[in-house]
């Protein structure tokens, strides 16, 4: 019989694969697939459009609806330029912590979920357990929607999904939604002394960025709803984090590139905010083309992440609270795949080991105590699924 690895041993294997979002995750997927197969568990892949990345999902227990999904992502953020004290792609234990890229976000949870799936298969469960590991979560939660769609075609529909983002094992029942764009402002180059005859792409972009500043000020000044007041900050935010362009100081900029990201509090619609921004872009483009018809603004949607809405008597929240004993009300301002599971009809909650403050950091870690708390959660979950 194949060896049954411990959660730490599985985490060591997963962290050893440098699955930065810009690179393929297929070696990790192949390892998970082979490890599950060695225990008699069939898994399924769903590739992205390039074929270089794949989600992997599996089902154990009776072939019926109503099960539990343990959901994680396989990709991690880069380590470029970060001062690590040890190899970021090797798990190192010191001072009561497991260090390594992804130990916290979120290969620690992935390892626990894989362990739980194998244990459920061997011990038997009355209620099904499913594993769902996506790709490209770190670049806009891009991989989960096609994975979920495929899961619903291949597997019995589960009732609820536990998304294991680091929450210190608390039940997080809400998060903001988000929408993002890549913007390319294409101007027309002339000497700056004759700038009125050309179109400066940077200067044309500036009012669009300042539009975001104005909306932030307006949103902050509005009274928060009861639900929005739970968030930090309790308003919808618009943000530009990168900008580039221009050729020289004495030439009107031909190109300007920037990204526009928006994070919506519950009750505000991402599509509405997107439409408002697109209207501003088209108005700016018309002004540019009045000077030079060749000028334009190319707008490419980068991501759309639905918010996670707190559920009335939600099955996922109820199960997690039963296991953890956590009765607090917790929400987060960042997006996760939980809203995507909820949008597909699952009851969803976020609960995973580790502190989100450690995610993406140099010397990323999860404490041994938190990892063990996650292990205890999985053992308790298996007990409930066993009936």
């Amino acid at each position: 019989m194949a060896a049954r690895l411990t959660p730490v041993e599985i985490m060591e294997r997963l962290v050893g694969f440098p699955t930065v979002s810009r690179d393929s995750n297929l070696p990790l997927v192949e390892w998970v697939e082979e490890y599950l197969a060695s225990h008699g568990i069939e898994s399924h892949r769903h590739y992205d459009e390039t074929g270089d990345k794949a989600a992997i999902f599996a089902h154990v227990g009776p072939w019926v609806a109503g099960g539990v999904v343990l959901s994680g992502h396989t990709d991690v953020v880069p380590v470029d330029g970060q001062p690590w004290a040890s190899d970021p792609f090797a798990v190192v234990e010191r001072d009561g912590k497991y260090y390594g890229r992804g130990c916290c976000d979120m290969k620690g949870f992935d390892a626990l979920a894989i362990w739980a799936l194998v244990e459920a298969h061997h011990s038997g469960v009355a209620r099904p357990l499913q594993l769902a590991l996506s790709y490209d979560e770190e670049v806009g939660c891009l991989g989960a929607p096609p994975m979920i769609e495929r899961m619903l075609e291949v597997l019995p529909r589960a009732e609820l999904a536990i998304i294991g983002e680091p929450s210190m094992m608390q039940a997080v029942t809400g998060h903001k939604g988000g929408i993002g764009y890549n913007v390319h402002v294409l101007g027309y180059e002339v000497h700056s002394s004759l700038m009125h005859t050309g179109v400066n792409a940077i200067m044309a972009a500036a009012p669009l960025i300042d539009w975001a500043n104005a909306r932030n000020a307006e949103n902050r000044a509005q009274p928060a709803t009861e639900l929005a007041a739970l968030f930090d900050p309790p308003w919808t935010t618009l943000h530009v984090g990168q900008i580039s362009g221009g050729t020289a100081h004495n030439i009107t900029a031909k190109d300007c590139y920037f990204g526009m990201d928006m994070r919506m509090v519950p009750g505000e619609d991402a599509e509405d905010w997107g439409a408002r921004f697109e209207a501003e872009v088209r108005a700016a483009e018309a002004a540019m083309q009045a000077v030079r018809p060749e000028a334009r603004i190319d707008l490419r949607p980068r991501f759309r992440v639905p918010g996670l809405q707190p559920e009335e008597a939600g099955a996922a929240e109820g199960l997690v609270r039963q296991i953890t004993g956590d009765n607090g009300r917790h929400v987060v301002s960042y997006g996760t795949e939980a809203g995507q599971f909820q949008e597909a009809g699952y009851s969803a909650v976020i609960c995973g080991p580790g502190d989100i403050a450690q995610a993406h950091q140099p010397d990323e870690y999860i404490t041994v105590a938190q990892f063990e708390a996650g292990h205890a959660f999985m053992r308790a979950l298996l007990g409930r699924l066993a009936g």
Side-chain angles (χ1 to χ4, degrees):
M1 179 180 291
R4 285 153 73 170
L5 300 178
T6 68
V8 172
E9 289 171 333
I10 298 172
M11 180 170 65
E12 289 172 342
R13 302 297 202 282
L14 299 182
V15 171
F17 294 103
T19 52
V20 175
S21 303
R22 64 186 175 222
D23 300 321
S24 174
N25 72 338
L26 292 184
L28 182 150
V29 169
E30 290 167 3
W31 183 86
V32 173
E33 185 178 65
E34 292 172 2
Y35 179 65
L36 295 181
S38 73
H39 290 280
I41 301 172
E42 180 185 13
S43 59
H44 307 268
R45 296 191 195 188
H46 182 74
Y47 288 92
D48 74 347
E49 64 279 3
T50 71
D52 292 331
K53 299 177 184 178
I56 183 168
F57 55 90
H59 174 110
V60 300
W63 197 258
V64 297
V68 174
V69 180
L70 297 176
S71 164
H73 60 81
T74 61
D75 59 320
V76 297
V77 298
V79 299
D80 307 35
Q82 293 186 334
W84 283 73
S86 56
D87 182 352
F89 297 110
V91 176
V92 176
E93 181 182 356
R94 62 178 185 271
D95 303 324
K97 302 170 183 174
Y98 294 120
Y99 290 87
R101 174 57 87 221
C103 280
C104 179
D105 183 20
M106 61 183 299
K107 291 180 177 179
F109 176 86
D110 293 348
L112 291 164
I114 293 168
W115 175 87
L117 194 78
V118 171
E119 292 300 309
H121 176 69
H122 285 297
S123 63
V125 285
R127 185 181 184 186
L129 183 65
Q130 296 179 357
L131 172 74
L133 302 179
S134 69
Y135 58 87
D136 279 355
E137 190 273 348
E138 296 289 7
V139 291
C141 296
L142 304 180
M147 175 189 70
I148 295 168
E149 182 179 355
R150 185 60 179 154
M151 287 173 64
L152 291 171
E153 294 172 351
V154 174
L155 305 181
R157 174 186 277 276
E159 178 186 20
L160 64 93
I162 300 171
I163 290 75
E165 292 283 357
S167 72
M168 298 296 287
M169 299 309 300
Q170 294 177 330
V172 173
T173 58
H175 67 64
K176 290 184 177 183
I179 189 168
Y181 294 91
N182 286 332
V183 187
H184 176 199
V185 182
L186 183 64
Y188 188 87
E189 288 183 314
V190 298
H191 192 279
S192 60
S193 64
L194 298 172
M195 61 178 291
H196 64 291
T197 64
V199 175
N200 187 317
I202 293 175
M203 296 183 74
L208 295 174
I209 297 171
D210 198 45
W211 178 83
N213 286 327
R215 301 293 79 71
N216 283 330
E218 288 178 0
N219 294 346
R220 184 170 188 167
Q222 294 295 320
T225 66
E226 181 181 357
L227 181 55
L230 296 173
F231 290 84
D232 183 19
W235 61 82
T236 292
T237 58
L238 292 77
H239 179 254
V240 175
Q242 287 186 312
I243 185 169
S244 64
T247 303
H249 290 300
N250 61 349
I251 302 175
T252 56
K254 179 181 178 182
D255 298 288
C256 181
Y257 302 87
F258 68 95
M260 178 70 73
D261 294 352
M262 311 176 201
R263 296 180 185 271
M264 280 68 62
V265 294
E268 296 193 9
D269 182 49
E271 303 305 327
D272 177 63
W273 273 104
R276 292 175 65 182
F277 178 61
E278 290 178 22
E280 290 296 318
V281 167
R282 295 309 157 216
E285 182 179 63
M288 294 164 57
Q289 291 176 344
V291 179
R292 295 297 312 195
E294 307 94 322
R296 68 178 191 273
I297 302 177
D298 295 334
L299 200 60
R300 182 170 65 84
R302 191 169 76 256
F303 68 86
R304 176 192 171 275
V305 181
L308 175 64
Q309 304 288 333
E311 301 170 0
E312 187 70 30
E317 175 186 352
L319 177 61
V320 166
R321 292 196 187 282
Q322 290 170 17
I323 295 175
T324 63
D326 172 33
N327 291 315
R329 196 173 185 189
H330 311 288
V331 299
V332 293
S333 291
Y334 54 83
T336 79
E337 295 172 340
Q340 294 169 325
F341 273 94
Q342 189 179 67
E343 191 173 59
Y346 296 82
S347 175
V349 69
I350 301 166
C351 185
D355 186 342
I356 193 64
Q358 301 306 322
H360 305 181
Q361 300 300 306
D363 287 335
E364 177 185 344
Y365 69 81
I366 186 172
T367 66
V368 173
Q370 271 292 296
F371 193 75
E372 291 177 348
H375 194 186
F377 177 93
M378 292 300 178
R379 291 195 297 267
L381 174 63
L382 292 177
R384 281 165 171 76
L385 297 180

